Amino acid sequence: MRNRSPWIHQLDKDRAHQRLSGDITTDVVIVGAGIAGIATAFFALKYTTQTVSLVEAYKLAHGASGHNAGQVATYFEKGFANMVKDFGLHEAASAQAAINNAWELINEMYRDAGLDIFFNQELGHDGYSTYEQVVGALEEARLKRQGGLDPEHMGIAVNAPFLDDIPPQYVGLYRAIPHATVLEMLETKNPVFLAVSSLKKGSINSALFCEKIVGYLLGAYPERFALYEHTPVHKIILSPDGAVLDADRHVVLAKHVVLCTNGFENFHIINENGLELDTKFHYSVRGRVAYMSAYLEPADNPPIATSYETPEEPSDYIPYYYLTRRPYEFEEGMVHNLISIGGPEEPFADNTYSQEVEYPERAIEVLNRFVHEIYAPEKEGRVDYEFTWHGLMGYTQNGMRMIGPEPQNPVLLYNLGCNGVGILPSVFGGRQITRHLAGEKVPPSAFDVPKRLTLPPL
Ligand SMILES: Cc1cc2nc3c(=O)[nH]c(=O)nc-3n(C[C@H](O)[C@H](O)[C@H](O)COP(=O)(O)OP(=O)(O)OC[C@H]3O[C@@H](n4cnc5c(N)ncnc54)[C@H](O)[C@@H]3O)c2cc1C
């Protein structure tokens, strides 16, 4: 099976792609045209007067932004409790509040560009099946409440065997509800799920969103914005007052470079006046490949965005399952519901990831089991997937997106590191980078680029 994403399927196949055809000078060069690069361009154009060139190795939104689950969500995969351990309650709460507020930023992009593509914003539901999972989620909620944030609300089944054992510090963060309600909210008949928590979630085709936003930017800022696709950046040479980029066969001169590359790919960073950044950078982001599948059904149910922790999970291969159901125009004028499901993921050792790699049978087996046991037990045999796709996730060492200037040379800035959930953090990162570009004094945050990184033992 090949890597075939439903999000890329909806892009405009006739769009012309312009590559860099000569040397250029620009105020800001953004490397990588996924949602991070495009959000950064959007806010830099809106809130500064600088010229912006967006340079993409292949085609816009064909990286993780075209191969994800498209759930718009505010949670951090490393968990709020771990953030509190690493950064303290105050800084963790500020980081969470920043991502919560990114809903307003993504809506600002959507509104300014006059979009009408599908983007729902409703309550999403997360299902739990064990005491440990429930108490882990309640602890997250307790810390959020202590940090002045609105916690998720949890319902625990009245017949959950652990209901009376929930420690008293979690009073007020959950209520007992009929088991049938838990299952109804999760749209499953599988009785292993004993609790559900709800928070605002949405779903969007983030690739289509990128394509539409770029179309808007090209029209709104013809003098200040350009997009160059099929233009890989091989080398970035930094000096105290600017950068030179070796981009395909040409040279880009810029006052600032913003790396929105998800973390990888084949470039080198040379810092003329400072310590070696290259090794540090390439060691600072590690890759995981995640696998998803989707099938079509009649459009007779409303959209949902859910996740499920089963009694067997989490494992390294399946941390949890996630599902969206949404209206989907498969062929022009034909709207179905698209059921898209993810869960399996695994590390890859070096820069060997390729989008061309076959979709593994093992992932299909896992996702089939999910469909049969949890979401649609009425389906028999092998599920007839219309789409099977995989994508790359970049994990930073501290599990937080890296947003801001490189401490050794602020000519270089980063908005990268997907860490599992990256749509809203990319958009927040775009707005935050613009503050740096505008010369504002930006308070320190948990997203700052770490000054020191632990390098691997020799
Ligand atoms: C299977 C999967 C499911 C996911 N589900 C969700 C989800 O439900 N919700 C959520 O919020 N997040 C999710 N994510 C994460 C989310 O998709 C990413 O965090 C987000 O799309 C990252 O956007 P980005 O712009 O940083 O990276 P990308 O979209 O990967 O863009 C980086 C771009 O940089 C380009 N590039 C790299 N190197 C160079 C170079 N040298 N020169 C020029 N260009 C270069 C690449 O070609 C690419 O286009 C998921 C990710 C995966 C893989």
Side-chain angles (χ1 to χ4, degrees):
M1 260 166 301
R2 64 193 179 92
N3 188 1
R4 181 163 181 261
S5 145
W7 322 131
I8 293 195
H9 179 75
Q10 289 192 315
L11 297 184
D12 176 3
K13 285 157 196 73
D14 300 324
R15 189 177 60 82
H17 306 131
Q18 189 194 350
R19 55 172 83 218
L20 188 63
S21 58
D23 298 349
I24 54 164
T25 300
T26 180
D27 293 323
V28 182
V29 58
I30 298 170
V31 185
I35 191 162
I38 286 162
T40 305
F42 175 93
F43 291 111
L45 290 162
K46 180 164 179 182
Y47 291 109
T48 78
T49 53
Q50 301 176 29
T51 52
V52 176
S53 297
L54 178 55
V55 179
E56 164 57 46
Y58 180 48
K59 292 194 262 186
L60 73 81
H62 277 60
S65 302
H67 292 89
N68 55 20
Q71 285 201 8
V72 184
T74 52
Y75 65 91
F76 288 76
E77 204 159 277
K78 78 179 274 176
F80 189 68
N82 284 327
M83 285 163 64
V84 173
K85 256 187 230 144
D86 289 355
F87 304 105
L89 183 62
H90 176 72
E91 207 159 287
S94 302
Q96 182 65 67
I99 301 306
N100 295 350
N101 294 336
W103 277 108
E104 187 36 46
L105 296 174
I106 196 168
N107 279 323
E108 179 181 341
M109 294 174 73
Y110 193 93
R111 266 194 318 269
D112 280 17
L115 302 190
D116 60 0
I117 61 172
F118 176 77
F119 179 22
N120 72 320
Q121 300 177 43
E122 284 157 48
L123 272 190
H125 304 300
D126 301 332
Y128 308 100
S129 42
T130 67
Y131 171 79
E132 288 72 25
Q133 292 163 3
V134 165
V135 167
L138 286 172
E139 177 61 7
E140 303 254 307
R142 184 188 73 80
L143 288 167
K144 284 185 187 167
R145 184 174 61 180
Q146 201 181 328
L149 300 161
D150 272 344
E152 289 87 11
H153 300 285
M154 185 181 282
I156 304 180
V158 282
N159 58 327
F162 49 74
L163 183 59
D164 295 336
D165 304 330
I166 304 287
Q169 65 264 37
Y170 302 125
V171 167
L173 290 169
Y174 69 95
R175 63 201 169 89
I177 59 174
H179 192 193
T181 308
V182 172
L183 302 182
E184 211 174 290
M185 288 166 79
L186 294 169
E187 298 214 11
T188 181
K189 293 192 171 59
N190 192 322
V192 294
F193 296 102
L194 294 168
V196 59
S197 69
S198 306
L199 79 168
K200 183 177 170 181
K201 270 192 196 169
S203 36
I204 197 164
N205 175 343
S206 66
L208 189 59
F209 180 69
C210 286
E211 185 180 84
K212 298 276 181 197
I213 294 290
V214 162
Y216 160 72
L217 295 177
L218 288 168
Y221 303 97
E223 309 296 328
R224 289 175 50 215
F225 177 61
L227 166 70
Y228 302 104
E229 294 170 279
H230 299 288
T231 305
V233 169
H234 304 298
K235 206 185 286 172
I236 301 169
I237 302 167
L238 301 169
S239 68
D241 19 74
V244 181
L245 279 73
D246 165 4
D248 199 13
R249 280 161 293 160
H250 301 286
V251 170
V252 179
L253 294 177
K255 291 185 190 135
H256 285 105
V257 188
V258 190
L259 276 189
C260 297
T261 51
N262 197 359
F264 302 89
E265 317 299 334
N266 307 310
F267 55 76
H268 293 291
I269 308 171
I270 297 157
N271 189 22
E272 285 183 350
N273 278 44
L275 298 171
E276 182 55 57
L277 291 183
D278 203 45
T279 323
K280 186 184 99 168
F281 175 76
H282 289 286
Y283 182 64
S284 66
V285 192
R286 295 272 135 201
R288 285 179 81 79
V289 186
Y291 303 100
M292 300 203 61
S293 297
Y295 61 89
L296 297 163
E297 38 172 59
D300 47 11
N301 282 306
I304 52 168
T306 42
S307 70
Y308 304 83
E309 291 187 34
T310 63
E312 298 82 47
E313 270 68 59
S315 73
D316 192 43
Y317 188 56
I318 313 166
Y320 58 96
Y321 294 98
Y322 40 95
L323 176 146
T324 58
R325 181 177 64 215
R326 64 182 87 180
Y328 181 83
E329 197 173 22
F330 179 55
E331 287 160 13
E332 208 178 329
M334 277 181 60
V335 178
H336 292 77
N337 265 347
L338 183 79
I339 315 300
S340 82
I341 314 151
E345 58 174 71
E346 59 194 346
F348 76 100
D350 43 35
N351 281 355
T352 52
Y353 174 77
S354 158
Q355 286 189 358
E356 306 310 316
V357 163
E358 282 277 295
Y359 191 91
E361 188 57 32
R362 181 177 171 212
I364 287 286
E365 282 162 18
V366 166
L367 295 176
N368 273 351
R369 207 176 64 222
F370 170 84
V371 172
H372 291 140
E373 293 177 9
I374 294 171
Y375 179 67
E378 71 283 359
K379 272 196 182 292
E380 282 173 9
R382 196 177 166 89
V383 181
D384 189 13
Y385 295 112
E386 189 63 46
F387 299 98
T388 47
W389 68 102
H390 50 77
L392 189 57
M393 295 184 175
Y395 282 82
T396 56
Q397 283 194 335
N398 67 5
M400 302 293 287
R401 193 169 185 86
M402 283 206 295
I403 302 169
E406 162 59 51
Q408 290 176 38
N409 189 335
V411 162
L412 176 68
L413 300 104
Y414 306 98
N415 178 10
L416 56 79
C418 114
N419 294 299
V421 184
I423 294 177
L424 287 176
S426 295
V427 170
F428 162 71
R431 182 67 187 93
Q432 193 77 343
I433 291 293
T434 297
R435 296 200 163 91
H436 288 284
L437 294 173
E440 290 175 32
K441 197 163 166 32
V442 181
S445 85
F447 300 103
D448 288 349
V449 181
K451 287 195 178 60
R452 285 169 205 277
L453 287 163
T454 328
L455 289 173
L458 289 173

